[in-house]
Amino acid sequence: MEDRKPTSIFTDQDQAMANAILEVIPNTRHRLCIWHLEQNAITRFGALKKDKEFKFAFNQCLKMCVTEQEFEAKWQAMLQKYELTEHSWYKRVYELKDKWCPALCRDFFSAGILSSQRSESTNHAIGFRASKATTLTEFYTIFKKTTKRWRSTEKYDEFTCSKSIAFTSLPLFGMLKHAAQVFTLSLFRNFEEEFGYYMATTVQILGSNEECLLYQVTLEDKPWSAHQVNYIQESQTVWCTCKNFEASGWLCYHCIRILHLHSVTRIPDKYVSKRWTKFAKTEAWDRLKNQDPKQQYIPWRQTMMRKYYNLILKSQENEETRAFMEESFRNSLKMVEDLLASAAQKESAEAASNILDVADNTQSNTDASSASSTSTCVPIILDPKRAVAKGRRKRAKGGLEKSKRKRKPALPPPNSEFGSKTPNLRLF
């Protein structure tokens, strides 16, 4: 987590967990799982269990409300219609509305999640139900196969996402084309859905000032979908009352409509969430390396661990291969230690040499400065006379001067038409 706390956390209606979250991570938004809340509500329905209209009204309050006013209106209408105003359980749930109502939880990032089913589905993805008879070896074997499948799926998804082009029935131009270039395939589908909705909207300007324009965007024939959008043209800043970007990380169709109205053909950088882009893993890895330089060896280390582990698995059933692996390990360990010692010795020698060079430069600069301060006249020192010993030449002759005889040209081979070839002749 890079020493960062989660923005939001989902749990069921467990008071002990709520108290622990409030004490350990008080700045994290604690939310209640919609699925658990719905299951707990079933036991409180009583005679309303078979009433489909009541279940629909309750689910609308749980999941369908976008604004706080809409939620309050539907909740009060449900309580009055089914005479639940004095029901203790519904009173207690209403007091916790800030933890489960989507309309009241859109001012912080939650990726559109409403329940803890994501983590539970991940736990279930192992593919088996553990029992008292499940051994640790069996669990490890199943878990290893599962992680191998996960890695294979992830590699395939990364390759498909980076090499393929998103397919859409809509014209691939403007912001939709930009979204296909930067977003992953799964996120592109969400953006494409919002982009499709924007074409069915109507726009009405409500007011303006020196910098900001205020619009109202509504789906055709659906007045309940009306939301107000503020737009600053100079900085291409846009925000909507539905707060979809704050909660999910991609623009809603209200904002897309206003950007398109002002001829914006690319999604502004501030509204391209890095976590949803094709380069999210690369940027996260670069950020991690900048924080700790040793982190750059993690991919190599993990790759080598998998390679050696597979080699060990291949060697474990044969005595000769096991002996060979142990001997290879000892030899490799000794060689690595020798190389590390040699590298450390070389580094220390270079450091000592650098220190001596710095000292010599400092000393020479000191001598030069002292000499220039004591005397301004530099004496001229002549070269000594060379003594020529008896029998020694004054100058050594070169190779061409040693041989005074002229060499006869070499005769061509008897069967050669053009004479001898030039040695080391470069034709090209």
Side-chain angles (χ1 to χ4, degrees):
M1 296 294 293
E2 302 180 15
D3 296 330
R4 294 188 298 177
K5 298 178 181 179
T7 304
S8 58
I9 186 170
F10 287 84
T11 67
D12 56 6
Q13 291 177 277
D14 187 1
Q15 188 61 39
M17 295 181 66
N19 296 336
I21 292 172
L22 183 61
E23 182 178 354
V24 178
I25 43 178
N27 296 326
T28 299
R29 295 288 294 267
H30 178 210
R31 298 186 62 183
L32 296 179
C33 173
I34 293 292
W35 184 83
H36 285 96
L37 190 63
E38 187 176 6
Q39 295 300 314
N40 294 336
I42 292 177
T43 61
R44 313 290 178 177
F45 285 168
L48 299 174
K49 286 183 180 180
K50 298 181 180 179
D51 193 334
K52 294 183 179 180
E53 293 183 1
F54 171 76
K55 289 184 178 180
F56 177 76
F58 186 75
N59 285 329
Q60 275 195 324
C61 295
L62 286 180
K63 307 173 184 178
M64 305 300 179
C65 297
V66 179
T67 62
E68 184 177 359
Q69 294 78 8
E70 182 184 3
F71 166 74
E72 292 291 346
K74 291 185 177 181
W75 182 265
Q76 296 300 329
M78 180 190 69
L79 294 182
Q80 293 177 3
K81 181 178 180 180
Y82 297 98
E83 299 179 355
L84 299 173
T85 308
E86 301 300 328
H87 199 289
S88 60
W89 186 84
Y90 289 96
K91 284 184 177 181
R92 188 167 64 253
V93 169
Y94 180 76
E95 293 175 357
L96 300 173
K97 61 181 180 179
D98 293 337
K99 293 187 176 182
W100 57 266
C101 179
L104 304 177
C105 302
R106 299 184 67 84
D107 57 337
F108 62 96
F109 181 78
S110 60
I113 299 174
L114 297 177
S115 68
S116 60
Q117 287 296 299
R118 181 177 179 85
S119 62
E120 293 175 3
S121 61
T122 303
N123 297 335
H124 184 68
I126 300 297
F128 78 107
R129 293 182 179 273
S131 62
K132 295 181 179 179
T134 304
T135 62
L136 184 61
T137 306
E138 293 174 347
F139 170 78
Y140 177 73
T141 302
I142 297 173
F143 185 77
K144 186 174 67 173
K145 292 181 180 179
T146 303
T147 53
K148 184 178 180 181
R149 185 178 70 252
W150 286 349
R151 291 192 180 105
S152 177
T153 304
E154 184 178 3
K155 288 181 180 179
Y156 174 78
D157 291 340
E158 287 183 355
F159 178 82
T160 306
C161 185
S162 60
K163 301 300 181 182
S164 62
I165 300 176
F167 172 81
T168 176
S169 57
L170 301 174
L172 199 61
F173 294 104
M175 284 185 285
L176 192 62
K177 181 179 180 180
H178 185 210
Q181 294 173 350
V182 297
F183 289 142
T184 61
L185 295 179
S186 58
L187 197 280
F188 175 76
R189 296 305 169 199
N190 295 329
F191 187 86
E192 181 188 20
E193 183 179 0
E194 299 288 342
F195 194 86
Y197 277 124
Y198 109 82
M199 292 186 290
T201 58
T202 58
V203 180
Q204 179 183 0
I205 186 167
L206 301 180
S208 63
N209 54 26
E210 296 179 356
E211 297 180 353
C212 184
L213 298 173
L214 179 61
Y215 296 92
Q216 179 172 297
V217 182
T218 312
L219 286 173
E220 187 177 0
D221 299 331
K222 295 181 180 179
W224 53 266
S225 64
H227 282 280
Q228 296 181 3
V229 181
N230 293 271
Y231 179 71
I232 300 176
Q233 187 171 5
E234 183 178 358
S235 60
Q236 292 187 350
T237 302
V238 61
W239 66 93
C240 180
T241 54
C242 74
K243 299 180 180 179
N244 185 77
F245 178 78
E246 289 80 0
S248 303
W250 61 86
L251 289 175
C252 59
Y253 64 88
H254 312 99
C255 295
I256 296 175
R257 181 70 173 90
I258 299 304
L259 290 174
H260 186 268
L261 182 66
H262 289 271
S263 302
V264 178
T265 58
R266 289 175 59 87
I267 306 173
D269 293 338
K270 65 182 73 176
Y271 301 115
V272 178
S273 301
K274 301 301 182 183
R275 65 167 64 239
W276 302 132
T277 61
K278 300 178 181 179
F279 323 104
K281 295 181 68 175
T282 304
E283 293 186 3
W285 181 247
D286 293 339
R287 186 175 65 251
L288 189 62
K289 286 195 299 184
N290 294 333
Q291 292 178 356
D292 187 359
K294 293 183 179 180
Q295 299 290 341
Q296 60 181 327
Y297 305 114
I298 289 181
W300 177 84
R301 188 165 66 233
Q302 292 178 344
T303 303
M304 295 303 296
M305 287 171 61
R306 287 197 293 269
K307 288 182 178 179
Y308 272 94
Y309 181 71
N310 293 332
L311 185 60
I312 291 171
L313 292 180
K314 290 182 179 180
S315 309
Q316 64 182 358
E317 298 180 358
N318 187 280
E319 184 177 357
E320 294 182 359
T321 56
R322 291 198 303 270
F324 174 77
M325 289 292 295
E326 293 175 0
E327 182 65 23
S328 300
F329 172 76
R330 287 191 290 269
N331 295 335
S332 300
L333 180 62
K334 185 178 182 304
M335 185 175 296
V336 168
E337 290 178 349
D338 292 342
L339 291 174
L340 291 176
S342 176
Q345 187 176 6
K346 184 178 180 180
E347 289 180 359
S348 61
E350 291 179 354
S353 177
N354 293 334
I355 293 174
L356 291 176
D357 292 341
V358 172
D360 292 341
N361 293 333
T362 304
Q363 183 64 29
S364 60
N365 293 334
T366 304
D367 295 342
S369 60
S370 61
S372 61
S373 60
T374 55
S375 176
T376 58
C377 181
V378 180
I380 299 176
I381 302 176
L382 301 177
D383 293 334
K385 295 182 179 181
R386 296 183 180 181
V388 179
K390 185 177 180 180
R392 182 180 297 175
R393 295 179 180 178
K394 295 183 179 179
R395 183 177 64 84
K397 293 184 178 181
L400 296 177
E401 295 176 332
K402 289 181 180 179
S403 176
K404 295 182 179 181
R405 295 183 305 171
K406 295 183 179 180
R407 295 183 180 181
K408 295 181 179 181
L411 296 176
N415 297 328
S416 177
E417 182 177 358
F418 302 102
S420 62
K421 295 182 180 180
T422 304
N424 300 326
L425 180 65
R426 297 182 182 272
L427 299 178
F428 301 98

